[in-house]
């Protein structure tokens, strides 16, 4: 049976290179207004200004914006239950809100319902790919991967590793490292490389893993090609001081991971606020990326990430919602908060730098630019169709915008998921806004 041939008309926007962070007129931007995007089966095969012939199913979204699906590089699937919770910084947040919510994922039915809600919510916010923390429970990993497979989504995730400084019900046995290792190996064999899924070795953060468990994580990472590693680093000053007490031989928080073989080109480290030049040099040398989580950093009062210092050191930067520390799965809101955080830090980011970090830049950092993050021929057809504006104020702002950068920047700062008309994953429409034409 021949693959379906679908042509979507709209204003196509993506990137062919990395824009300079403050360049409003970047040649890295590819702008094709009023073009037809051609999709055959799950794959983008090209784009053209003229309408294709009648062998294509033509769907006209003239006047709407077509973007690659967003890539959220750090988000917690069980934490929808604690999003928008009041009043604490990181370490108290974990004890008060996060750990109780994650405990519920031991139940298979809860894990299944939670994974379904989470992935459908991602799609309804325009995110088609994500790097996800489930929980320590195998049930939560199975549920997340199973639901992602059903939707055809690119999801990177893995069992969370903790064997100390957390509730007993959320800890691997510190005397049975082999048990946690066996669980991870079983999950890797079941899910890694299946469909569009990839496994990430996932120590929560250094304080909740012993040296023995971190060494085990390093062994796992070397076990099979293509595995990722995800964790947190240098998010909060109290956390950094705690790590220094727990690992007195390490030069820095980041050095704990370096010593255990956890830094490579597939390592995703969330936050990275309290790093120094030596840390940034290590990240660049290893090819690891920082997932910048501005909404969470603001909400928990963690600090201001140094985008300019990281970029100038050659460190890859992607954008992440970090729900539930972040208060929305919307990457538009995340980009807007990212602009504010960097303005406070003395760095002005263009709309292009922000949008690139949520699409092509994130794909590059994950080693997946051949598959996701752009509207390039040969890429998987993960894309979203957006209204430029839906509210009267936003519509007026679009009417008076003087150039494309101004239009896109206003779309970022004044918009949110209510502007999303449709989300497509691998050539299949997986979300449609109620009432969308």
């Amino acid at each position: 049976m021949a693959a379906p041939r679908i042509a979507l008309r709209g204003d196509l926007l993506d990137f062919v290179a990395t824009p300079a962070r403050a360049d409003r007129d970047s040649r890295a931007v590819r702008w094709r207004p009023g073009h037809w995007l051609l999709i055959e089966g799950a794959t983008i095969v090209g784009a053209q200004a003229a309408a294709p012939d009648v062998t294509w199913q033509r769907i006209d979204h003239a006047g709407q914006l077509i973007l690659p699906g967003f890539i959220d590089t750090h988000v917690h699937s069980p934490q929808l239950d604690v999003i928008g919770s009041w009043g604490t910084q990181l370490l108290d947040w974990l004890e008060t809100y996060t750990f109780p919510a994650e405990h519920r994922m031991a139940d298979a039915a809860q894990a299944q319902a939670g994974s379904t809600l989470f992935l459908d919510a991602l799609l309804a916010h325009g995110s088609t790919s994500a790097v996800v923390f489930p929980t320590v429970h195998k049930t939560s990993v199975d549920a997340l991967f199973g639901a992602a497979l059903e939707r055809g989504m690119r999801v990177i995730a893995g069992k969370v590793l903790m064997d100390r400084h957390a509730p007993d019900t959320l800890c691997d046995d510190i005397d049975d490292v082999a048990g946690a290792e066996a669980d991870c190996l079983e999950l890797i064999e079941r899910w890694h490389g299946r469909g569009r899924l990839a496994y990430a070795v996932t120590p929560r953060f250094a304080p909740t893993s012993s040296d023995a468990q971190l060494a085990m994580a390093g062994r796992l990472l070397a076990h099979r090609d293509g595995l990722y590693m995800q964790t947190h680093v240098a998010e909060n000053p109290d956390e950094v001081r705690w790590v220094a007490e727990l690992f007195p031989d390490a030069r820095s928080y980041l050095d704990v991971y370096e010593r255990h073989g956890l830094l490579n080109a597939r390592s995703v480290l969330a936050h990275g606020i309290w790093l120094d030049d030596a840390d940034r040099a290590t990240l660049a040398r290893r090819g690891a990326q920082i997932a910048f989580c501005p909404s969470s950093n603001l909400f928990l009062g963690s600090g201001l990430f140094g985008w300019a210092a990281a970029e100038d050191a050659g460190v890859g930067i992607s954008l992440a919602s970090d729900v539930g520390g972040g208060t929305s799965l919307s990457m538009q809101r995340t980009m807007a908060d990212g602009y504010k955080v960097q303005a406070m830090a003395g760095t002005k980011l263009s709309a292009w730098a922000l949008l690139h970090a949520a699409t092509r830049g994130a794909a590059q950092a994950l080693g997946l630019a051949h598959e996701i993050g752009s509207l390039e021929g040969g890429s998987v057809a993960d894309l979203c169709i957006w209204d430029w504006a839906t509210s009267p104020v936003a519509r007026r702002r679009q009417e008076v915008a003087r150039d494309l950068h101004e239009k896109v920047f206003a779309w970022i700062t004044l918009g949110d998921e209510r502007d999303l008309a449709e989300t497509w994953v691998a050539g299949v429409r997986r979300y449609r806004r109620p009432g969308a034409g």
Side-chain angles (χ1 to χ4, degrees):
M1 183 176 178
R5 288 154 56 92
I6 298 171
L8 301 176
R9 185 187 183 203
D11 298 336
L12 310 185
L13 177 62
D14 66 346
F15 297 92
V16 296
T18 302
R21 58 180 172 263
D23 184 2
R24 300 174 71 252
D25 301 310
S26 176
R27 293 184 179 181
V29 179
R30 177 164 54 183
W31 170 236
R32 295 172 286 182
H35 274 55
W36 293 88
L37 187 70
L38 307 180
I39 301 167
E40 192 160 359
T43 306
I44 295 170
V45 296
Q48 60 190 50
D53 63 40
V54 295
T55 65
W56 294 83
Q57 178 189 353
R58 291 178 286 193
I59 305 174
D60 197 342
H61 291 282
Q64 291 181 300
L65 179 63
I66 300 181
L67 291 174
F70 289 134
I71 305 163
D72 190 339
T73 56
H74 179 72
V75 59
H76 296 257
S77 57
Q79 291 190 25
L80 293 184
D81 286 1
V82 303
I83 191 171
S85 297
W86 179 85
T88 63
Q89 290 195 335
L90 173 64
L91 300 180
D92 290 335
W93 171 273
L94 292 172
E95 294 289 344
T96 305
Y97 299 117
T98 299
F99 290 152
E102 294 191 356
H103 175 70
R104 291 194 284 274
M105 296 301 108
D107 178 77
Q110 291 265 12
Q112 184 61 55
S115 295
T116 297
L117 174 64
F118 169 73
L119 291 175
D120 286 346
L122 281 182
L123 295 174
H125 287 76
S127 293
T128 54
S129 300
V131 183
V132 185
F133 270 62
T135 71
V136 300
H137 311 101
K138 288 170 66 179
T139 53
S140 76
V141 185
D142 285 331
L144 178 66
F145 275 144
L149 187 67
E150 289 176 4
R151 290 158 178 78
M153 296 175 70
R154 166 55 83 174
V155 166
I156 299 167
K159 168 185 155 56
V160 175
L161 297 171
M162 297 193 291
D163 65 359
R164 63 175 181 172
H165 301 140
D168 290 344
T169 54
L170 293 178
C171 276
D172 300 306
D173 188 340
I174 197 168
D175 296 321
D176 186 21
V177 171
E181 188 169 10
D183 286 346
C184 292
L185 289 170
E186 181 184 331
L187 289 165
I188 289 167
E189 291 305 312
R190 182 153 61 244
W191 295 112
H192 183 64
R194 186 175 171 187
R196 302 177 68 197
L197 309 175
Y199 194 89
V201 178
T202 308
R204 176 175 225 108
F205 68 154
T208 49
S209 286
S210 65
D211 275 299
Q213 189 175 69
L214 290 171
M216 178 268 285
R219 290 195 303 273
L220 281 172
L221 192 59
H223 165 71
R224 183 166 165 182
D225 290 342
L227 294 177
Y228 288 83
M229 194 285 296
Q230 61 173 341
T231 191
H232 302 79
V233 68
E235 178 178 357
N236 173 283
D238 288 340
E239 171 206 16
V240 173
R241 285 189 286 271
W242 191 21
V243 170
E245 294 171 2
L246 294 171
F247 299 92
D249 294 334
R251 191 203 69 81
S252 68
Y253 191 156
L254 183 74
D255 188 49
V256 175
Y257 301 132
E258 169 76 340
R259 286 168 175 242
H260 290 94
L262 293 172
L263 299 183
N264 63 29
R266 292 179 179 266
S267 298
V268 183
L269 297 104
H271 308 297
I273 298 169
W274 304 97
L275 301 175
D276 60 20
D277 288 344
D279 291 327
R280 286 185 279 268
T282 297
L283 289 170
R285 185 173 68 253
R286 294 299 186 192
Q289 66 166 297
I290 293 294
F292 172 36
C293 308
S295 300
S296 173
N297 298 160
L298 290 170
F299 190 70
L300 298 179
S302 300
L304 307 177
F305 170 67
W307 181 300
E311 186 176 61
D312 291 346
V315 179
I317 303 168
S318 57
L319 272 172
S321 68
D322 192 26
V323 163
T327 55
S328 175
L329 290 170
S330 167
M331 294 303 284
Q332 284 165 285
R333 297 188 190 189
T334 300
M335 286 186 277
D337 282 344
Y339 177 83
K340 298 167 195 173
V341 166
Q342 293 311 306
M344 287 293 294
T347 298
K348 287 292 186 180
L349 295 179
S350 69
W352 310 134
L354 293 161
L355 187 57
H356 181 265
T359 55
R360 185 178 186 268
Q364 287 178 311
L366 293 169
L368 296 172
H370 62 287
E371 177 192 334
I372 56 176
S374 77
L375 302 178
E376 187 66 49
S379 296
V380 175
D382 291 353
L383 58 96
C384 291
I385 300 165
W386 299 86
D387 289 326
W388 280 98
T390 50
S391 73
V393 170
R395 288 195 191 102
R396 175 58 180 168
R397 186 66 186 88
Q398 290 294 331
E399 289 171 3
V400 300
R402 295 167 294 179
D403 57 29
L404 180 61
H405 182 270
E406 196 163 312
K407 284 173 67 70
V408 174
F409 189 73
W411 175 81
I412 289 170
T413 55
L414 300 179
D416 56 31
E417 68 276 11
R418 288 169 289 187
D419 296 336
L420 179 62
E422 296 181 2
T423 301
W424 291 63
V425 178
V428 176
R429 185 168 55 204
R430 293 290 180 181
Y431 168 80
R432 187 174 189 181
R433 183 181 63 208

